[in-house]
Amino acid sequence: MYTSNEKIASYKKAVEQNAGGKFYTGDLQKMTTSIVQEIKETKTSLLKTSKKTYVTDHPEIFFISIIVIFFSLIIFEKRIRL
């Protein structure tokens, strides 16, 4: 953990200038609030998308047909004993 002001300043400089990031100090609640506020202010948060749900298959039809075929074969086998 960075305890001295020089170490904090050098780390902040490395993060902001060299990596292009942002450096936050303080308690977790203040940092979280600050980060969320910055995200809300960006243009990407203004994009509005609509959620779409697509139903692509109906497995119940397959299972019902398998059950009907299975019971039909059982009945057919009992009537005609080979």
Side-chain angles (χ1 to χ4, degrees):
M1 191 128 220
Y2 295 98
T3 54
S4 70
N5 288 336
E6 294 108 20
K7 288 182 180 180
I8 293 172
S10 67
Y11 188 71
K12 181 178 180 180
K13 179 181 176 186
V15 168
E16 291 179 345
Q17 291 179 357
N18 298 338
K22 296 200 178 203
F23 185 80
Y24 298 94
T25 57
D27 65 346
L28 186 60
Q29 182 64 32
K30 289 180 183 177
M31 285 188 291
T32 305
T33 305
S34 177
I35 292 170
V36 170
Q37 187 62 33
E38 285 184 18
I39 291 172
K40 286 181 179 178
E41 291 173 357
T42 62
K43 290 182 181 178
T44 56
S45 66
L46 299 176
L47 296 176
K48 295 184 180 183
T49 59
S50 61
K51 294 181 181 179
K52 296 180 183 177
T53 303
Y54 296 103
V55 178
T56 56
D57 60 359
H58 299 282
E60 63 272 2
I61 295 171
F62 175 74
F63 289 119
I64 290 172
S65 63
I66 292 293
I67 290 171
V68 168
I69 291 171
F70 179 73
F71 283 114
S72 299
L73 288 174
I74 289 175
I75 292 170
F76 183 72
E77 182 196 356
K78 287 189 178 195
R79 293 207 176 224
I80 302 175
R81 298 244 174 195
L82 298 175

